[in-house]
Amino acid sequence: ACERFDLLAPSTATAGDSFRVLVRSLDRFGNVTPTDVNLVLTGAGETISVTMKKQHGGALWLDDISVPEPGVTRLELLRDGEGIAHSNPVMVREDGPDDGEWNIFWGDTQGQTAKTVGAGSVEEYFRYARDVAGIDYCTHQGHDFMLTDEDWQEVTEQTLQFHEPGRFITFLGYEWSPTSGAGGDRNVMYLDDTGPLY
């Protein structure tokens, strides 16, 4: 059963520009849990009604959110007028990043699936990272010696399929796994859509 809510916003934004926010309903262990509930989002310059349905699977993206004024802010989620969740801090700039300034993005460079020592399919991995974890980028890092040519082809195809610039970035990659004496495991990531599996 749903016991709490989570609100995830980008770490950096520009005043007046739209961004996305992820609302998650969680059980007591922190697992996303489908629920039907009406909520309200505040702190974005206006009050926004949020309707979560069980069909959302416990994670709902809200588009076209913006903060009108620069500064550091936190969005708030209300249920029946009571605050139930605050977002992470959002650094809102007056203009886009200048020279020497950076936007902050979050990702995972070490995920594996049932192709090697993890669980689930490559598609499930990317879908969870994008739709539930709410990260900005990731790569599938199966152990090189465990991936077959067919596995590598699937990883390549799924990486390309989920790559969506401006929303979710996927890097083709694998984990190079020599013996510890040779330096231990290394994450290999390609900047192109294809690459060899050594």
Side-chain angles (χ1 to χ4, degrees), residues 17-46:
D17 286 356
S18 63
F19 55 85
R20 306 173 79 222
V21 173
L22 180 61
V23 178
R24 294 183 287 213
S25 54
L26 307 171
D27 66 13
R28 65 183 177 142
F29 302 106
N31 300 306
V32 289
T33 304
T35 190
D36 292 315
V37 65
N38 292 317
L39 306 168
V40 172
L41 179 71
T42 64
E46 61 179 319

Side-chain angles (χ1 to χ4, degrees), residues 14-17 19 43-46 65-71 73 92-94:
T14 302
D17 286 356
F19 55 85
E46 61 179 319
I65 307 299
S66 65
V67 176
E69 301 295 329
T73 189
V92 182
R93 297 186 181 102
E94 186 171 353

